[in-house]
Amino acid sequence: MATPAAADPVAEIKAARAAYNAAIAARDAAGVRAALGEAYVGIAGTGGEAIIGAEAMTDYFARAFKTPGFLGFVRTPDVVTVANPPQRAMERGHWSGGSLNGRFSGEYLAVWVPTSQGWKLRSETFVTLGVTLGQAR
């Protein structure tokens, strides 16, 4: 397994998360894809649906970006812990997002793995803890 060249893996993971958030804000499916490892698995927050594979998650966002009223999602790390040796890392944080039809928020847990292209997401599990439906226009 490749180890990223960065001297500070926590900083690199936080930068990768910021780039992922920026890609979502810009509605950039290729930018979303750049954050994901090939074996990516995501668990959606509200219904618990599994999204298996980097291409499936990229397709999920490509469809969401075309949805009228889509406002996006922001994931904010609270803690990043890197294994010793640095073969994986855990990121825990909070998230928010949604559309004009409803806003959602909660907490998440992500697993990052080092690759020759830097740290990539292996998995994310989102738990929805707050829902506000029918935003006023």
Side-chain angles (χ1 to χ4, degrees):
M1 187 174 296
T3 300
D8 184 356
V10 171
E12 186 171 336
I13 290 165
K14 287 181 176 182
R17 174 59 74 190
Y20 190 14
N21 282 335
I24 293 169
R27 298 175 184 236
D28 175 9
V32 166
R33 176 63 183 88
L36 308 176
E38 291 301 322
Y40 176 86
V41 175
I43 305 296
T46 302
E49 303 87 356
I51 302 170
I52 309 297
E55 294 306 322
M57 182 55 111
T58 303
D59 291 346
Y60 168 88
F61 273 107
R63 286 189 308 275
F65 295 157
K66 295 176 185 173
T67 302
F70 176 73
L71 299 174
F73 293 97
V74 175
R75 291 79 180 258
T76 305
D78 294 326
V79 65
V80 175
T81 305
V82 179
N84 185 15
Q87 296 177 339
R88 71 192 58 79
M90 181 275 304
E91 173 193 358
R92 183 179 45 77
H94 56 279
W95 64 273
S96 64
S99 71
L100 292 176
N101 295 323
R103 301 283 297 163
F104 304 89
S105 62
E107 296 185 16
Y108 70 91
L109 179 70
V111 176
W112 294 83
V113 294
T115 74
S116 59
Q117 294 84 39
W119 288 87
K120 301 292 180 182
L121 279 162
R122 172 64 179 90
S123 64
E124 295 175 292
T125 300
F126 298 92
V127 179
T128 301
L129 300 173
V131 177
T132 306
L133 298 176
Q135 293 291 318
R137 295 184 182 179

